[in-house]
Amino acid sequence: PRADGDFSLSSGEQAAHKLLTQHPEITAIMALNDFMAVGAYRAARSLKRLIPDDLVITGYDDMPIATELVPSLTTVHQPIAQLGERLASKLIDLIEGREPAQEALTTTLQVRESTGFVQELMPL
């Protein structure tokens, strides 16, 4: 099952609450960004679900809040500064009539406490 949101904390909380009440068997949520993951934490706590014992939560973006949460959030790190530089360069290429090159940037999984059992399998 899935629930849609608008990448905000409140939509993450609403989506997670909906998922967890309609499907209490859910044991993991992958939020589309870290703000929505924070919302999922709130929903989980309001429903008395323990992270990571009852529910694993992951995010995306590796925002500074990911390490401030208790338990800390497992998330996908993407190189935001490098992404911004590459986008600016591509925009300049387009403005000057050049075809921008296609490229992929590397993301990395930052395994933290919100996926407790995964840490036993993956070294930090």
Side-chain angles (χ1 to χ4, degrees), residues 86-114:
R86 301 282 171 86
L87 288 173
S89 176
K90 290 179 186 314
L91 181 58
I92 291 169
D93 285 345
L94 286 171
I95 290 169
E96 294 179 352
R98 295 187 300 267
E99 183 68 26
Q102 296 291 320
E103 61 183 303
L105 297 178
T106 302
T107 59
T108 55
L109 179 64
Q110 300 298 313
V111 179
R112 298 192 180 105
E113 297 165 338
S114 69

Side-chain angles (χ1 to χ4, degrees), residues 30-51:
M30 181 180 178
L32 294 180
N33 71 6
D34 290 348
F35 293 124
M36 290 183 74
V38 172
Y41 269 57
R42 286 185 175 179
R45 288 196 176 119
S46 75
L47 295 168
K48 309 286 191 256
R49 300 284 297 266
L50 299 176
I51 304 165

Side-chain angles (χ1 to χ4, degrees), residues 3-19 29 31-33 35-40 42-43:
D4 295 323
D6 63 9
F7 299 96
S8 68
L9 191 150
S10 62
S11 75
E13 184 173 5
Q14 291 168 0
H17 195 275
K18 177 182 175 182
L19 280 174
I29 291 177
L32 294 180
N33 71 6
F35 293 124
M36 290 183 74
V38 172
R42 286 185 175 179

Side-chain angles (χ1 to χ4, degrees), residues 66-94:
T67 57
E68 300 299 320
L69 290 170
V70 177
S72 58
L73 177 66
T74 293
T75 185
V76 175
H77 174 82
Q78 59 178 339
I80 299 292
Q82 189 179 14
L83 179 62
E85 291 170 6
R86 301 282 171 86
L87 288 173
S89 176
K90 290 179 186 314
L91 181 58
I92 291 169
D93 285 345
L94 286 171

